[in-house]
Amino acid sequence: MEKSPSPSGKLWLVGAGPGDPDLLTLRAARLLESADLVVHDGLVGEGVLALIPAHIERISVAKQRSRHTMKQELINELLVRETLAGKQVVRLKGGDPFIFGRGGEELDAAREAGIACEVVPGITAAAGCAAQAGLPLTHREDASAVSFVAGQCKDLTDQDWSGLAGHGRTLVIYMGLATAHAITDKLIADGVSPGLPVAVVERGTTKDARVLRTLLTDLGDLVAREKVASPALIIVGKVAARADALDCLGAPGVANNLKDIACES
């Protein structure tokens, strides 16, 4: 049975950006001050959450790998129920709602329920983290195309990434730490040079950010060796060599093992 639109409630799908509260859009900041309820995920920066006035109700639906606080279907039901109750509901999502944020699924649920919904874009992790690292995702000399992929999806080996990395291209991998070794094997098997530069941006745009650089063949070992923690972004392509980063090829033993590959790249 089709539901009637709420006379006053509205749902806002709001991008919180990659972490730094200064990167929040003005519209997002205004909505945080006027909402009745903020439903936020675990990737929203503490500085952004601190902007929410104390009297506004908050619900955390933070997800972790293999352990969800609330299933997506239940999140959808929560958003619809609270909006139909007449509330101004802000669904606050790390980065941008429509880039690996499941914002499309929540918008579908809102449309099906007949509630008003508006999307407020945010700076996605790829743009924010790359900017902090001084890493241009496209560059006239190095890359004329950029692609975003998710690295933690099931059946990673069955996904077709052919042509997404290599000459003239930049590949940005979200959520790829746990599968870093598999990503390396997958790309090299698809013909990508083992000596292609790679940058890993950990906790990008925050005060604890760390930018590491190596070659593709060393990616999985780098993640383990440097104990890289989530959230982190992996950027594969010649542009990665331009990053303001710690060159991890200088780590003990690594440079010698990869000497021949480095010379080829």
Side-chain angles (χ1 to χ4, degrees), residues 229-248:
S230 182
L233 202 69
I234 299 169
I235 302 175
V236 182
K238 287 186 68 176
V239 293
R242 297 178 179 273
D244 298 325
L246 175 64
D247 187 354
C248 291

Side-chain angles (χ1 to χ4, degrees), residues 16-20 23-24 43 45 94-96 122-129 203-206 231:
D20 184 348
L23 296 179
L24 197 67
L43 291 178
D96 180 88
I123 295 176
T124 188
C129 295
R203 297 186 293 271
T205 78
T206 73

Side-chain angles (χ1 to χ4, degrees):
M1 182 175 179
E2 187 173 336
K3 299 181 178 66
S4 299
S6 170
S8 58
K10 184 170 181 177
L11 173 63
W12 306 79
L13 304 179
V14 178
D20 184 348
D22 286 344
L23 296 179
L24 197 67
T25 65
L26 290 174
R27 189 167 198 182
R30 286 196 291 265
L31 286 170
L32 292 182
E33 294 177 348
S34 61
D36 297 312
L37 169 65
V38 176
V39 180
H40 65 88
D41 65 26
L43 291 178
V44 176
E46 289 298 324
V48 175
L49 293 177
L51 298 176
I52 304 172
H55 70 276
I56 294 178
E57 182 183 2
R58 302 187 202 181
I59 297 177
S60 172
V61 291
K63 297 182 178 72
Q64 295 180 8
R65 184 174 174 81
S66 302
R67 184 173 70 83
H68 288 191
T69 301
M70 186 181 293
K71 292 183 180 296
Q72 186 61 48
E73 293 78 7
L74 295 178
I75 295 174
N76 295 348
E77 291 175 10
L78 169 67
L79 298 175
V80 169
R81 181 174 65 250
E82 296 297 326
T83 305
L84 286 174
K87 294 181 180 179
Q88 301 297 308
V89 180
V90 168
R91 173 65 171 109
L92 190 61
K93 310 172 78 67
D96 180 88
F98 280 178
I99 299 183
F100 302 122
R102 294 194 171 184
E105 297 173 43
E106 292 167 356
L107 179 59
D108 288 342
R111 286 170 171 167
E112 184 177 348
I115 61 176
C117 182
E118 186 170 333
V119 181
V120 178
I123 295 176
T124 188
C129 295
Q132 182 188 39
L135 192 165
L137 294 176
T138 62
H139 191 283
R140 197 161 55 159
E141 295 178 8
D142 294 335
S144 59
V146 58
S147 301
F148 301 159
V149 299
Q152 71 171 18
C153 295
K154 295 180 180 178
D155 302 319
L156 182 63
T157 55
D158 294 334
Q159 296 183 55
D160 184 8
W161 290 3
S162 57
L164 298 186
H167 180 71
R169 295 180 177 273
T170 302
L171 179 63
V172 181
I173 304 168
Y174 288 67
M175 303 168 287
L177 290 186
T179 53
H181 279 103
I183 288 170
T184 296
D185 294 342
K186 178 181 180 65
L187 291 175
I188 292 175
D190 284 344
V192 178
S193 169
L196 196 64
V198 173
V200 178
V201 186
E202 179 185 44
R203 297 186 293 271
T205 78
T206 73
K207 61 181 178 59
D208 300 317
R210 187 168 56 144
V211 186
L212 310 173
R213 185 176 61 239
T214 189
L215 302 180
L216 176 59
T217 191
D218 182 48
L219 173 60
D221 291 338
L222 164 72
V223 168
R225 186 171 67 243
E226 298 292 336
K227 296 180 174 59
V228 181
S230 182
L233 202 69
I234 299 169
I235 302 175
V236 182
K238 287 186 68 176
V239 293
R242 297 178 179 273
D244 298 325
L246 175 64
D247 187 354
C248 291
L249 283 178
V254 177
N256 289 335
N257 292 337
L258 301 181
K259 183 177 180 180
D260 293 338
I261 293 174
C263 291
E264 294 172 3
S265 61

